[in-house]
Amino acid sequence: MAKLNPFSIAQQQLDEAAEKLGLDAATHELLRWPMKEYHVLLPVRMDNGTTKVFKGYRVQYNAARGPTKGGLRWHPEETIDTVRALAAWMTWKTAVVDIPLGGGKGGVTCNPKELSDSEKERLARTYIRAVGKELGVHRDVPAPDVYTTPQIMAWMMDEYEAMAGESHPGMITGKPLEIGGSQGRGDATARGGVYCVREAGKILNVDVAKATYAIQGFGNAGQFAATLHPEILGGGTLIAASDSRGGVINKNGMDPQALVRHKLETGGVKDFPGSEPITNEALLELQCDVLYPSALEGVITSKNAPNIKAKISCELANGPTTPEADKILHEKGVYVIPDFLANAGGVTVSYFEQVQNTYNYYWTLDDVYQQLDRKMTDAFHAVHEMSKKIKAHNRLCAYMVSVQRVADACKIRGWV
Ligand code: NAD
């Protein structure tokens, strides 16, 4: 099978919403493409004295609602089209939670698992030297994504400030607390997703406190979802989890904290005491109440969608479901909380981080949780109201809410 191109998928999703909204041709065309993108070569000195040349990208998709914002992914399969797709989704994400930012994304094609810490630091600094002039709190603000960390954000901020000769904590988010990070940023993506599951449970009459749940992709977002699901919802049974090395299942339930510790100690979820092995493919098709796809894009397709048995799919990953699969899930009655709504908690707290950096005054953890809950709950219900109106699958409804907001901003600015 040909590999799915995530940017073609993002464009198809937009096309469907544009048609339904009756967008004029110019606005539709403007929203189909990134407004700016940068391709850079990054020569980095390796520990053994040789130099390796990496490819880096930064895409500023649309800035009509404010400076662009979006994470940096370091992945061996990173391509310009993955970055474009993620930047488009960031545009819809900042719009659905109604924060005054546009959408962007960046990345480097590399395998971070093969890089030492000092090589990562040199790569981070080289990236900022290459694209730093295009970044800034009033231009474009990066953050962590797959395989990038608060430490990498810290090196990047340091390099940027060295170039500028002054302090710029708001130029990047997801920083360590010691240098201007926000309370609550670490688990914000998963927390926002679990708030959405709570609201979906009310609508669907599913008792989420008694729900069984499974996590595909036990990384940052997935691990926090595992522990926050019972903490926020007052209960729930984690029956399966997986990562790139394999998966584990125990229908009687697994202790999420113990599984996180096991992953930390052994590098994976595999061989967790009391569990049986399960493949990533089988995990997605498990009988469970809530599925959290939390790894990468394109995992729920027209091939396996007919076999998905979860009641709710809370997409913490970006782009896990293809457009054909969306329709199948909708017909089957699987309630999908689409990616750019479900995982918007991360960018929302990143935005709070930028706000705190700008006024140089920092909020408590409770302030962050309260504001995040309000933003996520409002966004969830805006999408739900749209679904009552147009009776379409949730992703299309979320697109209709966001695309309309971005299109309005383009129009008011006089662009179209
Ligand atoms: P991460 O690198 O911490 O975790 C990714 C996890 O997925 C790892 O455990 C990896 O082993 C696993 N994985 C990779 N390939 C897999 C496969 N084929 N099957 C099962 N597991 C696999 O990354 P993350 O930050 O948790 O991001 C995960 C997803 O969530 C991405 O799509 C990302 O764009 C999205 N996301 C993350 C944030 C955030 O704040 N971290 C915010 C919004 C969206």
Side-chain angles (χ1 to χ4, degrees):
M1 199 183 75
K3 208 164 170 349
L4 297 166
N5 179 327
F7 186 50
S8 310
I9 290 178
Q11 287 185 316
Q12 270 181 56
Q13 293 165 338
L14 170 74
D15 293 346
E16 200 184 351
E19 192 189 329
K20 196 104 183 155
L21 286 168
L23 276 196
D24 61 88
T27 309
H28 182 188
E29 187 63 9
L30 183 64
L31 300 184
R32 282 193 102 228
W33 301 99
M35 294 191 78
K36 279 189 195 166
E37 57 184 48
Y38 304 93
H39 297 228
V40 291
L41 282 182
L42 307 166
V44 175
R45 188 66 41 89
M46 297 287 106
D47 291 344
N48 66 9
T50 62
T51 297
K52 235 175 159 166
V53 181
F54 297 93
K55 286 194 173 125
Y57 315 96
R58 186 72 194 167
V59 171
Q60 297 168 349
Y61 196 87
N62 186 291
R65 289 174 46 86
T68 49
K69 176 98 192 79
L72 293 169
R73 185 180 283 194
W74 287 7
H75 195 273
E77 282 162 36
E78 188 74 321
T79 65
I80 184 64
D81 275 341
T82 331
V83 184
R84 285 173 177 151
L86 291 161
W89 291 326
M90 283 307 299
T91 308
W92 317 133
K93 194 181 301 191
T94 51
V96 84
V97 281
D98 201 12
I99 54 182
L101 298 172
K105 202 82 186 190
V108 176
T109 313
C110 68
N111 187 352
K113 289 181 187 166
E114 288 171 359
L115 298 177
S116 69
D117 280 350
S118 53
E119 288 166 343
K120 284 183 194 167
E121 176 173 354
R122 289 193 289 276
L123 177 57
R125 291 183 185 277
T126 307
Y127 182 82
I128 291 300
R129 286 199 297 277
V131 300
K133 286 240 176 325
E134 318 306 333
L135 306 176
V137 73
H138 300 299
R139 291 171 178 242
D140 182 19
V141 180
D145 191 72
V146 175
Y147 299 145
T148 55
T149 58
Q151 174 62 71
I152 292 174
M153 302 303 111
W155 289 324
M156 289 187 168
M157 182 190 85
D158 186 66
E159 191 65 26
Y160 185 91
E161 292 187 342
M163 282 164 64
E166 54 192 26
S167 164
H168 282 275
M171 67 73 52
I172 202 160
T173 60
K175 299 179 294 291
L177 282 178
E178 293 82 349
I179 55 164
S182 175
Q183 296 282 354
R185 176 62 184 87
D187 68 11
T189 301
R191 180 173 291 276
V194 176
Y195 289 150
C196 289
V197 169
R198 178 192 67 202
E199 297 306 304
K202 291 180 197 160
I203 285 163
L204 302 171
N205 261 328
V206 171
D207 184 354
V208 285
K210 294 205 178 98
T212 52
Y213 64 103
I215 314 253
Q216 190 242 3
F218 209 64
N220 177 314
Q223 289 177 33
F224 279 122
T227 53
L228 287 176
H229 179 111
E231 190 184 310
I232 294 173
L233 305 177
T237 308
L238 172 65
I239 59 167
S242 67
D243 56 33
S244 55
R245 300 176 192 192
V248 287
I249 177 167
N250 181 344
K251 290 209 166 138
N252 297 321
M254 297 180 283
D255 175 356
Q257 304 280 6
L259 188 57
V260 170
R261 279 197 301 276
H262 178 79
K263 164 119 185 167
L264 205 67
E265 282 158 16
T266 67
V269 294
K270 246 174 73 180
D271 301 324
F272 180 64
S275 73
E276 303 282 325
I278 182 170
T279 63
N280 265 298
E281 294 72 29
L283 180 142
L284 292 169
E285 297 177 11
L286 270 181
Q287 186 84 50
C288 65
D289 296 313
V290 186
L291 173 66
Y292 289 95
S294 315
L296 293 174
E297 55 281 346
V299 295
I300 302 179
T301 64
S302 55
K303 224 168 116 206
N304 60 356
N307 307 328
I308 304 284
K309 298 175 199 71
K311 291 188 183 125
I312 299 172
S313 174
C314 177
E315 298 181 343
L316 295 179
N318 283 306
T321 309
T322 64
E324 298 76 29
D326 263 328
K327 294 193 178 96
I328 299 170
L329 295 181
H330 181 60
E331 277 155 24
K332 274 176 62 80
V334 177
Y335 190 91
V336 174
I337 307 173
D339 50 6
F340 68 82
L341 168 63
N343 67 32
V347 73
T348 303
V349 177
S350 268
Y351 162 63
F352 297 161
E353 181 175 333
Q354 246 178 281
V355 170
Q356 296 168 74
N357 292 151
T358 303
Y359 40 87
N360 206 7
Y361 177 80
Y362 288 83
W363 304 359
T364 65
L365 195 54
D366 273 351
D367 293 335
V368 171
Y369 289 166
Q370 241 179 40
Q371 298 285 342
L372 176 63
D373 196 348
R374 189 173 58 79
K375 277 279 177 207
M376 294 304 301
T377 304
D378 286 354
F380 179 91
H381 287 284
V383 173
H384 180 61
E385 283 307 305
M386 180 63 79
S387 79
K388 286 203 298 205
K389 217 157 80 188
I390 67 163
K391 306 227 173 334
H393 61 87
N394 281 344
R395 189 173 331 271
L396 178 56
C397 300
Y399 261 90
M400 307 253 312
V401 171
S402 296
V403 171
Q404 187 67 65
R405 289 177 181 169
V406 179
D408 288 347
C410 293
K411 239 177 201 68
I412 291 164
R413 281 175 180 274
W415 289 355
V416 276

